[in-house]
Short mmCIF file of all heavy atoms in Angstrom, two decimals:
data_model
loop_
_atom_site.label_atom_id
_atom_site.label_comp_id
_atom_site.label_asym_id
_atom_site.label_seq_id
_atom_site.Cartn_x
_atom_site.Cartn_y
_atom_site.Cartn_z
N ARG A 1102 29.85 -16.43 -0.53
CA ARG A 1102 29.09 -15.36 -1.17
C ARG A 1102 27.62 -15.52 -0.80
O ARG A 1102 27.04 -16.58 -1.01
CB ARG A 1102 29.27 -15.41 -2.68
CG ARG A 1102 28.57 -14.27 -3.43
CD ARG A 1102 28.87 -14.32 -4.92
NE ARG A 1102 30.25 -13.93 -5.18
CZ ARG A 1102 30.66 -12.68 -5.33
NH1 ARG A 1102 29.79 -11.68 -5.20
NH2 ARG A 1102 31.91 -12.40 -5.58
N LEU A 1103 27.03 -14.47 -0.26
CA LEU A 1103 25.63 -14.51 0.16
C LEU A 1103 24.67 -14.08 -0.94
O LEU A 1103 23.51 -14.51 -0.96
CB LEU A 1103 25.43 -13.61 1.40
CG LEU A 1103 26.19 -14.04 2.65
CD1 LEU A 1103 26.07 -12.97 3.73
CD2 LEU A 1103 25.69 -15.38 3.16
N PHE A 1104 25.13 -13.22 -1.84
CA PHE A 1104 24.27 -12.73 -2.91
C PHE A 1104 25.01 -12.78 -4.24
O PHE A 1104 26.20 -12.47 -4.32
CB PHE A 1104 23.85 -11.26 -2.65
CG PHE A 1104 22.98 -11.07 -1.45
CD1 PHE A 1104 23.51 -10.57 -0.27
CD2 PHE A 1104 21.63 -11.39 -1.49
CE1 PHE A 1104 22.71 -10.39 0.85
CE2 PHE A 1104 20.82 -11.23 -0.37
CZ PHE A 1104 21.36 -10.73 0.80
N GLU A 1105 24.27 -13.17 -5.27
CA GLU A 1105 24.74 -13.01 -6.64
C GLU A 1105 24.26 -11.66 -7.13
O GLU A 1105 23.07 -11.37 -7.07
CB GLU A 1105 24.20 -14.13 -7.53
CG GLU A 1105 24.66 -15.53 -7.16
CD GLU A 1105 26.13 -15.77 -7.41
OE1 GLU A 1105 26.76 -14.91 -8.06
OE2 GLU A 1105 26.66 -16.79 -6.92
N ARG A 1106 25.18 -10.82 -7.58
CA ARG A 1106 24.82 -9.49 -8.06
C ARG A 1106 24.42 -9.60 -9.53
O ARG A 1106 25.19 -10.09 -10.35
CB ARG A 1106 25.98 -8.51 -7.90
CG ARG A 1106 26.18 -7.96 -6.49
CD ARG A 1106 26.72 -8.98 -5.51
NE ARG A 1106 27.19 -8.36 -4.27
CZ ARG A 1106 27.58 -9.04 -3.22
NH1 ARG A 1106 27.55 -10.37 -3.22
NH2 ARG A 1106 27.99 -8.40 -2.13
N ASP A 1107 23.24 -9.13 -9.84
CA ASP A 1107 22.72 -9.18 -11.21
C ASP A 1107 22.18 -7.80 -11.56
O ASP A 1107 20.98 -7.53 -11.43
CB ASP A 1107 21.62 -10.24 -11.33
CG ASP A 1107 21.07 -10.37 -12.74
OD1 ASP A 1107 21.72 -9.83 -13.67
OD2 ASP A 1107 20.02 -11.00 -12.91
N GLY A 1108 23.08 -6.92 -11.98
CA GLY A 1108 22.66 -5.55 -12.25
C GLY A 1108 22.26 -4.89 -10.94
O GLY A 1108 22.98 -4.92 -9.95
N ARG A 1109 21.07 -4.31 -10.93
CA ARG A 1109 20.59 -3.62 -9.73
C ARG A 1109 20.06 -4.61 -8.69
O ARG A 1109 20.04 -4.31 -7.50
CB ARG A 1109 19.49 -2.63 -10.10
CG ARG A 1109 19.96 -1.49 -10.98
CD ARG A 1109 18.84 -0.52 -11.26
NE ARG A 1109 18.34 0.07 -10.02
CZ ARG A 1109 17.25 0.84 -9.95
NH1 ARG A 1109 16.56 1.09 -11.05
NH2 ARG A 1109 16.87 1.35 -8.79
N ARG A 1110 19.60 -5.78 -9.15
CA ARG A 1110 19.02 -6.75 -8.22
C ARG A 1110 20.09 -7.68 -7.66
O ARG A 1110 21.17 -7.84 -8.23
CB ARG A 1110 17.93 -7.57 -8.91
CG ARG A 1110 16.74 -6.74 -9.38
CD ARG A 1110 15.51 -7.60 -9.60
NE ARG A 1110 15.07 -8.22 -8.35
CZ ARG A 1110 14.35 -7.59 -7.44
NH1 ARG A 1110 14.01 -6.32 -7.58
NH2 ARG A 1110 13.97 -8.22 -6.34
N VAL A 1111 19.78 -8.28 -6.51
CA VAL A 1111 20.65 -9.28 -5.91
C VAL A 1111 19.84 -10.55 -5.69
O VAL A 1111 18.65 -10.50 -5.39
CB VAL A 1111 21.25 -8.78 -4.57
CG1 VAL A 1111 22.22 -7.63 -4.82
CG2 VAL A 1111 20.18 -8.37 -3.59
N ARG A 1112 20.51 -11.68 -5.87
CA ARG A 1112 19.83 -12.96 -5.72
C ARG A 1112 20.51 -13.76 -4.62
O ARG A 1112 21.73 -14.01 -4.69
CB ARG A 1112 19.88 -13.72 -7.05
CG ARG A 1112 19.05 -15.01 -7.06
CD ARG A 1112 18.98 -15.62 -8.45
NE ARG A 1112 20.28 -16.10 -8.90
CZ ARG A 1112 21.04 -15.48 -9.79
NH1 ARG A 1112 20.64 -14.34 -10.33
NH2 ARG A 1112 22.21 -15.98 -10.16
N PRO A 1113 19.76 -14.15 -3.57
CA PRO A 1113 20.38 -14.90 -2.47
C PRO A 1113 20.94 -16.23 -2.95
O PRO A 1113 20.33 -16.94 -3.77
CB PRO A 1113 19.22 -15.13 -1.49
CG PRO A 1113 18.20 -14.10 -1.86
CD PRO A 1113 18.34 -13.90 -3.34
N THR A 1114 22.10 -16.59 -2.46
CA THR A 1114 22.69 -17.89 -2.77
C THR A 1114 22.18 -18.93 -1.78
O THR A 1114 21.47 -18.61 -0.82
CB THR A 1114 24.23 -17.81 -2.67
OG1 THR A 1114 24.59 -17.56 -1.30
CG2 THR A 1114 24.78 -16.71 -3.56
N SER A 1115 22.58 -20.16 -1.99
CA SER A 1115 22.20 -21.23 -1.06
C SER A 1115 22.82 -20.98 0.32
O SER A 1115 22.24 -21.37 1.35
CB SER A 1115 22.65 -22.59 -1.60
OG SER A 1115 24.05 -22.62 -1.82
N TYR A 1116 23.97 -20.30 0.36
CA TYR A 1116 24.58 -19.97 1.65
C TYR A 1116 23.73 -18.93 2.39
O TYR A 1116 23.62 -18.96 3.62
CB TYR A 1116 25.99 -19.42 1.44
CG TYR A 1116 26.92 -20.40 0.75
CD1 TYR A 1116 27.40 -20.16 -0.53
CD2 TYR A 1116 27.32 -21.58 1.39
CE1 TYR A 1116 28.24 -21.05 -1.16
CE2 TYR A 1116 28.16 -22.49 0.76
CZ TYR A 1116 28.62 -22.22 -0.52
OH TYR A 1116 29.45 -23.12 -1.13
N ALA A 1117 23.15 -18.00 1.62
CA ALA A 1117 22.26 -17.01 2.24
C ALA A 1117 21.04 -17.68 2.84
O ALA A 1117 20.59 -17.31 3.94
CB ALA A 1117 21.84 -15.97 1.21
N GLU A 1118 20.49 -18.66 2.12
CA GLU A 1118 19.31 -19.37 2.64
C GLU A 1118 19.66 -20.13 3.91
O GLU A 1118 18.84 -20.21 4.84
CB GLU A 1118 18.78 -20.34 1.57
CG GLU A 1118 18.35 -19.69 0.27
CD GLU A 1118 17.16 -18.74 0.43
OE1 GLU A 1118 16.51 -18.75 1.50
OE2 GLU A 1118 16.88 -17.98 -0.52
N LEU A 1119 20.87 -20.68 3.97
CA LEU A 1119 21.32 -21.38 5.18
C LEU A 1119 21.51 -20.39 6.33
O LEU A 1119 21.17 -20.69 7.49
CB LEU A 1119 22.64 -22.10 4.89
CG LEU A 1119 23.29 -22.84 6.07
CD1 LEU A 1119 22.41 -23.99 6.55
CD2 LEU A 1119 24.68 -23.36 5.67
N PHE A 1120 22.03 -19.22 6.03
CA PHE A 1120 22.31 -18.21 7.04
C PHE A 1120 21.04 -17.51 7.54
O PHE A 1120 20.99 -17.04 8.68
CB PHE A 1120 23.28 -17.17 6.45
CG PHE A 1120 23.72 -16.10 7.41
CD1 PHE A 1120 24.25 -16.41 8.66
CD2 PHE A 1120 23.61 -14.76 7.06
CE1 PHE A 1120 24.66 -15.41 9.54
CE2 PHE A 1120 24.01 -13.76 7.91
CZ PHE A 1120 24.54 -14.08 9.16
N LEU A 1121 20.02 -17.45 6.70
CA LEU A 1121 18.83 -16.64 6.98
C LEU A 1121 18.19 -16.92 8.33
O LEU A 1121 17.97 -15.98 9.12
CB LEU A 1121 17.81 -16.80 5.85
CG LEU A 1121 16.51 -15.99 6.01
CD1 LEU A 1121 16.80 -14.50 5.94
CD2 LEU A 1121 15.51 -16.41 4.93
N PRO A 1122 17.81 -18.18 8.68
CA PRO A 1122 17.14 -18.38 9.97
C PRO A 1122 18.02 -18.01 11.16
O PRO A 1122 17.53 -17.51 12.17
CB PRO A 1122 16.80 -19.88 9.97
CG PRO A 1122 17.70 -20.49 8.94
CD PRO A 1122 17.92 -19.44 7.91
N HIS A 1123 19.34 -18.22 11.03
CA HIS A 1123 20.24 -17.83 12.11
C HIS A 1123 20.28 -16.30 12.24
O HIS A 1123 20.27 -15.77 13.36
CB HIS A 1123 21.64 -18.37 11.83
CG HIS A 1123 21.70 -19.86 11.70
ND1 HIS A 1123 21.70 -20.71 12.79
CD2 HIS A 1123 21.74 -20.65 10.60
CE1 HIS A 1123 21.75 -21.96 12.37
NE2 HIS A 1123 21.78 -21.95 11.06
N ALA A 1124 20.31 -15.61 11.11
CA ALA A 1124 20.34 -14.15 11.13
C ALA A 1124 19.07 -13.58 11.74
O ALA A 1124 19.11 -12.64 12.55
CB ALA A 1124 20.52 -13.61 9.71
N ARG A 1125 17.92 -14.15 11.39
CA ARG A 1125 16.65 -13.68 11.96
C ARG A 1125 16.63 -13.91 13.47
O ARG A 1125 16.13 -13.07 14.23
CB ARG A 1125 15.47 -14.36 11.28
CG ARG A 1125 15.28 -13.98 9.81
CD ARG A 1125 13.83 -14.14 9.40
NE ARG A 1125 13.63 -14.02 7.97
CZ ARG A 1125 13.59 -12.89 7.29
NH1 ARG A 1125 13.79 -11.75 7.92
NH2 ARG A 1125 13.37 -12.88 5.99
N THR A 1126 17.12 -15.04 13.90
CA THR A 1126 17.15 -15.34 15.34
C THR A 1126 18.06 -14.37 16.08
O THR A 1126 17.69 -13.85 17.15
CB THR A 1126 17.62 -16.79 15.57
OG1 THR A 1126 16.71 -17.68 14.96
CG2 THR A 1126 17.69 -17.09 17.06
N ILE A 1127 19.24 -14.11 15.54
CA ILE A 1127 20.17 -13.19 16.19
C ILE A 1127 19.56 -11.80 16.31
O ILE A 1127 19.62 -11.16 17.36
CB ILE A 1127 21.50 -13.14 15.40
CG1 ILE A 1127 22.23 -14.48 15.51
CG2 ILE A 1127 22.39 -12.01 15.92
CD1 ILE A 1127 23.38 -14.63 14.54
N ALA A 1128 18.95 -11.33 15.23
CA ALA A 1128 18.33 -10.00 15.24
C ALA A 1128 17.18 -9.94 16.23
O ALA A 1128 17.02 -8.96 16.97
CB ALA A 1128 17.85 -9.63 13.84
N ALA A 1129 16.35 -11.00 16.25
CA ALA A 1129 15.20 -11.02 17.16
C ALA A 1129 15.65 -11.01 18.62
O ALA A 1129 15.09 -10.30 19.46
CB ALA A 1129 14.32 -12.24 16.87
N GLU A 1130 16.66 -11.83 18.93
CA GLU A 1130 17.10 -11.90 20.32
C GLU A 1130 17.81 -10.62 20.75
O GLU A 1130 17.73 -10.23 21.92
CB GLU A 1130 18.01 -13.12 20.52
CG GLU A 1130 17.29 -14.46 20.34
CD GLU A 1130 16.05 -14.57 21.22
OE1 GLU A 1130 16.03 -14.01 22.34
OE2 GLU A 1130 15.08 -15.21 20.78
N ALA A 1131 18.50 -9.96 19.81
CA ALA A 1131 19.12 -8.67 20.15
C ALA A 1131 18.05 -7.64 20.49
O ALA A 1131 18.17 -6.87 21.45
CB ALA A 1131 19.98 -8.18 18.98
N ASP A 1132 16.96 -7.62 19.70
CA ASP A 1132 15.85 -6.71 19.98
C ASP A 1132 15.22 -7.03 21.33
O ASP A 1132 14.86 -6.13 22.10
CB ASP A 1132 14.80 -6.80 18.88
CG ASP A 1132 15.26 -6.15 17.58
OD1 ASP A 1132 16.22 -5.36 17.62
OD2 ASP A 1132 14.67 -6.45 16.52
N ARG A 1133 15.09 -8.32 21.59
CA ARG A 1133 14.48 -8.74 22.86
C ARG A 1133 15.34 -8.30 24.04
O ARG A 1133 14.84 -7.83 25.07
CB ARG A 1133 14.31 -10.27 22.86
CG ARG A 1133 13.77 -10.81 24.19
CD ARG A 1133 12.34 -10.43 24.38
NE ARG A 1133 11.99 -10.43 25.77
CZ ARG A 1133 10.79 -10.80 26.25
NH1 ARG A 1133 9.87 -11.18 25.42
NH2 ARG A 1133 10.54 -10.76 27.53
N PHE A 1134 16.66 -8.45 23.90
CA PHE A 1134 17.55 -8.04 24.98
C PHE A 1134 17.42 -6.54 25.24
O PHE A 1134 17.37 -6.11 26.40
CB PHE A 1134 18.99 -8.38 24.65
CG PHE A 1134 19.98 -7.76 25.59
CD1 PHE A 1134 20.12 -8.24 26.89
CD2 PHE A 1134 20.75 -6.66 25.20
CE1 PHE A 1134 21.01 -7.65 27.77
CE2 PHE A 1134 21.64 -6.07 26.08
CZ PHE A 1134 21.77 -6.56 27.36
N ARG A 1135 17.38 -5.75 24.19
CA ARG A 1135 17.25 -4.30 24.37
C ARG A 1135 15.96 -3.96 25.12
O ARG A 1135 15.94 -3.09 25.99
CB ARG A 1135 17.28 -3.60 23.02
CG ARG A 1135 18.62 -3.65 22.30
CD ARG A 1135 18.65 -2.75 21.08
NE ARG A 1135 19.84 -2.99 20.28
CZ ARG A 1135 19.88 -3.78 19.23
NH1 ARG A 1135 18.79 -4.42 18.84
NH2 ARG A 1135 20.99 -3.95 18.55
N ALA A 1136 14.87 -4.64 24.74
CA ALA A 1136 13.59 -4.39 25.41
C ALA A 1136 13.65 -4.81 26.88
O ALA A 1136 13.18 -4.08 27.77
CB ALA A 1136 12.47 -5.15 24.69
N ASP A 1137 14.23 -5.98 27.15
CA ASP A 1137 14.33 -6.45 28.53
C ASP A 1137 15.22 -5.54 29.36
O ASP A 1137 14.93 -5.26 30.54
CB ASP A 1137 14.89 -7.88 28.57
CG ASP A 1137 13.87 -8.91 28.10
OD1 ASP A 1137 12.68 -8.55 28.00
OD2 ASP A 1137 14.26 -10.05 27.83
N LEU A 1138 16.30 -5.07 28.77
CA LEU A 1138 17.20 -4.16 29.47
C LEU A 1138 16.49 -2.85 29.81
O LEU A 1138 16.60 -2.33 30.93
CB LEU A 1138 18.44 -3.88 28.62
CG LEU A 1138 19.48 -2.94 29.23
CD1 LEU A 1138 20.03 -3.50 30.53
CD2 LEU A 1138 20.61 -2.67 28.22
N GLY A 1139 15.72 -2.33 28.83
CA GLY A 1139 14.97 -1.11 29.10
C GLY A 1139 13.96 -1.29 30.21
O GLY A 1139 13.77 -0.40 31.05
N ASP A 1140 13.31 -2.45 30.23
CA ASP A 1140 12.34 -2.73 31.30
C ASP A 1140 13.03 -2.81 32.66
O ASP A 1140 12.54 -2.28 33.66
CB ASP A 1140 11.60 -4.04 31.02
CG ASP A 1140 10.60 -3.89 29.88
OD1 ASP A 1140 10.15 -2.76 29.64
OD2 ASP A 1140 10.29 -4.90 29.24
N MET A 1141 14.19 -3.46 32.70
CA MET A 1141 14.91 -3.58 33.97
C MET A 1141 15.36 -2.22 34.48
O MET A 1141 15.23 -1.91 35.67
CB MET A 1141 16.12 -4.51 33.80
CG MET A 1141 16.93 -4.72 35.07
SD MET A 1141 18.30 -5.90 34.85
CE MET A 1141 17.39 -7.43 34.68
N LEU A 1142 15.87 -1.41 33.57
CA LEU A 1142 16.30 -0.07 33.97
C LEU A 1142 15.13 0.78 34.43
O LEU A 1142 15.29 1.69 35.23
CB LEU A 1142 17.03 0.61 32.80
CG LEU A 1142 18.38 -0.01 32.41
CD1 LEU A 1142 18.91 0.63 31.14
CD2 LEU A 1142 19.38 0.12 33.54
N GLY A 1143 13.94 0.48 33.91
CA GLY A 1143 12.75 1.22 34.29
C GLY A 1143 12.04 0.66 35.51
O GLY A 1143 10.96 1.11 35.87
N GLY A 1144 12.62 -0.38 36.12
CA GLY A 1144 12.06 -0.94 37.36
C GLY A 1144 10.98 -1.98 37.14
O GLY A 1144 10.33 -2.41 38.09
N ARG A 1145 10.78 -2.43 35.88
CA ARG A 1145 9.77 -3.45 35.62
C ARG A 1145 10.42 -4.83 35.63
O ARG A 1145 11.64 -4.96 35.50
CB ARG A 1145 9.08 -3.18 34.27
CG ARG A 1145 8.23 -1.91 34.27
CD ARG A 1145 7.54 -1.71 32.93
NE ARG A 1145 8.48 -1.40 31.89
CZ ARG A 1145 8.86 -0.16 31.57
NH1 ARG A 1145 8.38 0.87 32.23
NH2 ARG A 1145 9.73 0.06 30.59
N GLN A 1146 9.58 -5.85 35.77
CA GLN A 1146 10.09 -7.21 35.88
C GLN A 1146 10.01 -7.97 34.57
O GLN A 1146 9.94 -9.18 34.54
CB GLN A 1146 9.31 -7.98 36.96
CG GLN A 1146 9.51 -7.42 38.36
CD GLN A 1146 8.70 -8.17 39.39
OE1 GLN A 1146 7.94 -9.08 39.06
NE2 GLN A 1146 8.86 -7.79 40.64
N GLY A 1147 10.05 -7.26 33.47
CA GLY A 1147 10.02 -7.93 32.18
C GLY A 1147 8.78 -7.58 31.37
O GLY A 1147 7.82 -7.00 31.88
#
Side-chain angles (χ1 to χ4, degrees):
R1102 183 175 289 275
L1103 296 172
F1104 294 102
E1105 297 291 349
R1106 281 72 167 173
D1107 182 13
R1109 295 183 61 188
R1110 297 200 63 80
V1111 292
R1112 187 172 66 256
T1114 66
S1115 58
Y1116 300 113
E1118 300 296 348
L1119 178 64
F1120 183 52
L1121 180 66
H1123 301 281
R1125 293 206 190 282
T1126 298
I1127 293 168
E1130 294 306 327
D1132 288 343
R1133 176 70 204 215
F1134 169 73
R1135 292 189 190 96
D1137 287 347
L1138 180 61
D1140 287 335
M1141 181 177 289
L1142 293 173
R1145 293 182 291 270
Q1146 295 179 356

